[in-house]
Amino acid sequence: MPIKRICCIGAGYVGGPTCAVIAKKCPDIVVTVTDIMPAKIAEWNSDSLPIFEPGLEEIVFEIRGNNLFFTTDGPKAIREADLIFISVNTPTKAYGAEKGKAPDLSCVESAARLIGKNASGATIIVEKSTVPVRAAESIAAILSAECREDGTSFQVLSNPEFLSEGTAIQDLLSPDRVLIGCESSEAGKLARKELADIYTRWVPEERIVTSNIWSSELTKLINNAMLAQKITCINATSAICEKTGADVSEVAKAVGMDQRIGPAFLNCSIGFGGSCFHKDILSLVYLCKQLSLDEVADYWQMIVDLNELQRRRFCQRIVKSLYGNVAGKKLAIFGFAFKENTGDTRESSAIVVCKHLLNEQAQLAIYDPKVRESQIIRDLQSPGCEFNSSSLKIETCPYEATKGASAIVICTEWKAFKNLNYQKLYDSMESGARWIFDGRNILDHQKLMETGFQIRPNSSVLPGRTPETNSVGIKAGISAAKTAAPVIEERSDLDPVLPVLR
């Protein structure tokens, strides 16, 4: 029978946008999103949604209350549903055995038990959450154990999301592919068709890809691991560039022109973040270890290790450039989200950078156009960071953040940062050397040097540098007032990020 009612367990970055688009494209289907957090559901029902995603508000505000609903009454939504998405958090375990390695599936288990106790009739269960291979088998076992003897039956499908935060709505409206994994039984294939019929309302049929459940689950992990691998490759290249005077931006451009590789995910940065890459690679490492594929596990683990190295290198570059001491110095942090066009801070490199600088007793003024102050405080109050209220301030204006600052640190590639009045920022900063650490390589470094800034990009050769020393050159003609600070020289016979006063 055609699907008439859908329930989604989990009102987060996947469940909310996914169900909003389905409801938009399928006005005859009632879509209900449920979550155990009343505050989150209240925000979904308000004028201020709990997440920022371009295009999401317009869809939600248009159809909410028509065929899109948000509720905390999970049992009722489950009882009425023909199809149920499980879209809950699956972080890396933070407790007990295999802490920091294995995926934590407690939320998936809780969702499965809730479904088993409340579903009625023939119900299709769809894994949306990223899960380890063969998780569907465990879900099916839980459903069977919880199921009542009243003719209730289940079919479990795998339908992983391939969304990129910041472009999630566009990814949903025009996906590269929709992957659906199912059992080989006739009942499994019929359930797959029911789900596929929903997507074909707006997705071309040739983009609907089918597989067995295990292949679908593994595809999601490998997809994210390969994207993270590409980012790590160019970041590792940046370390070579710093030693040789090569320009990582030029290398990335030339390499990306190879059609077999492509330019996406080749922007040198301070490391990847977000809720998926880190935990999914760790899940893959854990899977390989469980299968006694130790060498394969080591391969994937190296991506995580190199990502942490890239973050440490950036932090060390800031401290060393500021004469080995940032204690008491005000630093303006531009960006806290893990990437532009989202308010998500999970695994953000900015958290690592800010914790490092706070532990070095720097005074931070943080500005991000979409991340809430409460979220920033929560992220920095986690273990491994020591600070007091006087050393941290959250600003709502970038110009306020830079007043009296010794440096600007770009942590997120918000396009708005390119269009700021950097002369005004320069004039408001502490006298002496005024630094910009461009962790995303998004700014016009030549223009900033002409303004008087000392620039430290991510492994790009600045105008005026020589390949032999990779030293910062200040363009002739800058006023003496702007060049009164000590010149920073980087000697080729030392670690190239180690500044030497002369």
Side-chain angles (χ1 to χ4, degrees), residues 335-351:
F336 200 80
F338 85 91
K339 62 182 291 188
E340 66 172 336
N341 291 328
T342 181
D344 193 354
T345 64
R346 288 176 291 180
E347 296 291 342
S348 175
S349 292
I351 298 174

Side-chain angles (χ1 to χ4, degrees), residues 333 335-337 343 345 350-351 354-355 358 364-382 385 387 392-395:
I333 308 296
F336 200 80
T345 64
I351 298 174
C354 290
K355 284 185 175 182
L358 286 169
L364 301 188
I366 301 174
Y367 167 74
D368 188 287
K370 291 299 177 180
V371 180
R372 299 174 181 179
E373 178 175 349
S374 58
Q375 184 62 53
I376 295 174
I377 298 298
R378 279 197 300 271
D379 287 335
L380 295 180
Q381 284 179 334
S382 57
C385 183
F387 69 94
L392 177 65
K393 189 171 183 181
I394 314 303
E395 297 287 1

Side-chain angles (χ1 to χ4, degrees), residues 14 66 70 89-90 255 270 278 348 358 370 390 455 461 479:
V14 175
N66 295 328
F70 298 91
N89 196 19
T90 55
V255 169
I270 51 178
H278 186 265
S348 175
L358 286 169
K370 291 299 177 180
S390 65
I455 309 297
V461 177
S479 67

Side-chain angles (χ1 to χ4, degrees), residues 380-415:
L380 295 180
Q381 284 179 334
S382 57
C385 183
E386 298 179 4
F387 69 94
N388 54 48
S389 58
S390 65
S391 60
L392 177 65
K393 189 171 183 181
I394 314 303
E395 297 287 1
T396 58
C397 171
Y399 297 99
E400 288 297 319
T402 56
K403 286 183 178 180
S406 298
I408 297 170
V409 182
I410 307 290
C411 288
T412 309
E413 67 276 24
W414 287 101
K415 289 184 176 62

Side-chain angles (χ1 to χ4, degrees), residues 86-330:
I86 297 178
S87 185
V88 296
N89 196 19
T90 55
T92 304
K93 281 189 70 176
Y95 57 89
E98 307 299 339
K99 174 182 177 181
K101 300 177 183 179
D104 183 351
L105 300 181
S106 58
C107 291
V108 173
E109 180 181 349
S110 296
R113 294 194 185 282
L114 188 66
I115 293 169
K117 292 175 180 178
N118 293 281
S120 61
T123 308
I124 299 172
I125 312 302
V126 184
E127 293 177 335
K128 263 296 180 192
S129 302
T130 303
V131 293
V133 178
R134 305 195 78 89
E137 196 170 68
S138 299
I139 292 173
I142 294 170
L143 292 171
S144 297
E146 297 287 348
C147 184
R148 303 184 307 274
E149 298 290 338
D150 61 356
T152 301
S153 64
F154 303 100
Q155 278 296 320
V156 181
L157 303 177
S158 171
N159 176 219
E161 52 83 17
F162 297 100
L163 307 180
S164 177
E165 288 187 43
T167 60
I169 298 301
Q170 185 58 39
D171 295 339
L172 287 162
L173 292 172
S174 182
D176 295 330
R177 78 295 202 192
V178 173
L179 176 60
I180 305 175
C182 71
E183 293 180 356
S184 59
S185 65
E186 288 304 313
K189 293 176 182 177
L190 181 59
R192 180 184 69 194
K193 183 180 184 304
E194 296 281 7
L195 179 57
D197 285 346
I198 294 173
Y199 285 116
T200 52
R201 302 277 192 103
W202 75 95
V203 179
E205 195 168 338
E206 60 271 18
R207 294 189 188 180
I208 308 294
V209 180
T210 62
S211 72
N212 67 47
I213 292 181
W214 326 130
S215 295
S216 178
E217 290 173 337
L218 182 58
T219 296
K220 171 62 176 179
L221 295 178
I222 295 298
N223 189 91
N224 280 346
M226 292 190 74
L227 292 175
Q229 177 181 247
K230 198 171 180 183
I231 295 170
T232 301
C233 178
I234 200 64
N235 284 343
T237 301
S238 74
I240 301 174
C241 291
E242 287 184 2
K243 295 287 186 179
T244 62
D247 189 322
V248 70
S249 298
E250 294 175 348
V251 173
K253 180 180 179 180
V255 169
M257 292 177 74
D258 189 322
Q259 294 182 1
R260 298 168 298 176
I261 299 173
F265 292 86
L266 284 181
N267 296 319
C268 179
S269 69
I270 51 178
F272 59 76
S275 66
C276 293
F277 286 0
H278 186 265
K279 76 175 180 66
D280 288 355
I281 296 173
L282 290 180
S283 180
L284 197 55
V285 171
Y286 180 74
L287 173 65
C288 293
K289 289 285 188 181
Q290 295 301 302
L291 298 173
S292 299
L293 300 171
D294 292 346
E295 294 83 1
V296 180
D298 292 343
Y299 172 79
W300 294 116
Q301 180 65 47
M302 185 57 68
I303 295 175
V304 175
D305 295 344
L306 285 173
N307 195 58
E308 293 304 313
L309 174 64
Q310 185 74 353
R311 290 168 166 177
R312 289 197 305 271
R313 289 175 58 241
F314 184 70
C315 294
Q316 292 165 358
R317 184 180 304 130
I318 295 171
V319 176
K320 289 179 180 178
S321 296
L322 294 173
Y323 319 122
N325 175 39
V326 295
K329 296 177 181 177
K330 181 180 178 180

Side-chain angles (χ1 to χ4, degrees), residues 14-33:
V14 175
T18 298
C19 287
V21 169
I22 290 176
K24 168 74 173 176
K25 292 296 184 179
C26 307
D28 57 315
I29 297 177
V30 176
V31 182
T32 302
V33 183

